[in-house]
């Protein structure tokens, strides 16, 4: 079976807060794997907040955004939800979405988002 292509597009949810703007950066724009292989999509971010959430979403063909998984900055335990898991490296300001045993229905656009929760660090 031919490889399925995944398009990774990353965006940030803008919220009011510090004068330092948050930033979420797309590391790669596409990822292609054979069916059954794991897929890793990378996201880096900048924030001056101490506590924040990172989210991964998938956009369906209908343009509906579907929540996949989240990680809170204060947790060292990496999250898993079904075939989705995250690799969170707070010190590197990086989070990756891992899709285990990829399937044809995994093809699509993926979004990473950041939500800041508390006051800025000093």
């Amino acid at each position: 079976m031919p490889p399925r292509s995944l398009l990774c597009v990353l965006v940030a949810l803008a919220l009011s807060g510090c004068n330092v703007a948050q930033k979420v950066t797309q590391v790669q724009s596409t990822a292609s794997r054979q069916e059954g292989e794991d897929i890793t999509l990378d996201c880096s971010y900048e924030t001056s907040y101490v506590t924040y959430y990172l989210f991964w979403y998938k956009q369906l063909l209908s343009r509906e955004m579907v929540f996949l998984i989240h990680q809170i900055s204060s947790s060292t335990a990496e999250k898993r939800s079904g075939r989705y898991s995250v690799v969170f490296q707070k010190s590197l300001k990086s989070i990756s979405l891992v899709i285990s045993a990829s399937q044809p229905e995994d093809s699509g656009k993926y979004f990473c988002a950041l939500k800041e929760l508390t006051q800025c660090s000093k």
Side-chain angles (χ1 to χ4, degrees):
M1 184 165 282
R4 303 294 178 173
S5 178
L6 296 178
L7 176 61
C8 175
V9 181
L10 307 173
V11 296
L13 298 176
L15 300 174
S16 61
C18 296
N19 293 330
V20 177
Q22 64 180 345
K23 181 179 177 183
V24 177
T25 304
Q26 175 180 337
V27 178
Q28 79 266 25
S29 59
T30 62
S32 297
R33 298 289 182 272
Q34 292 288 336
E35 186 175 335
E37 292 181 345
D38 291 354
I39 297 169
T40 302
L41 303 173
D42 300 314
C43 177
S44 62
Y45 60 92
E46 294 177 21
T47 182
S48 54
Y49 278 57
V50 175
T51 306
Y52 49 90
Y53 280 97
L54 294 155
F55 300 89
W56 279 98
Y57 295 89
K58 179 181 178 186
Q59 186 176 33
L60 303 178
L61 292 175
S62 65
R63 297 187 179 228
E64 176 185 1
M65 298 295 283
V66 177
F67 167 77
L68 301 176
I69 195 166
H70 79 279
Q71 177 77 40
I72 188 166
S73 62
S74 60
S75 174
T76 57
E78 293 180 348
K79 300 283 185 157
R80 174 174 288 281
S81 177
R83 293 187 303 113
Y84 301 109
S85 61
V86 295
V87 177
F88 179 53
Q89 299 178 53
K90 184 175 183 177
S91 62
L92 299 176
K93 295 193 174 179
S94 170
I95 187 166
S96 299
L97 174 67
V98 179
I99 306 170
S100 300
S102 63
Q103 301 297 315
E105 61 266 27
D106 294 325
S107 294
K109 292 182 181 179
Y110 289 79
F111 295 84
C112 174
L114 167 69
K115 179 180 179 184
E116 298 167 330
L117 296 179
T118 60
Q119 295 182 0
C120 299
S121 60
K122 301 290 179 191

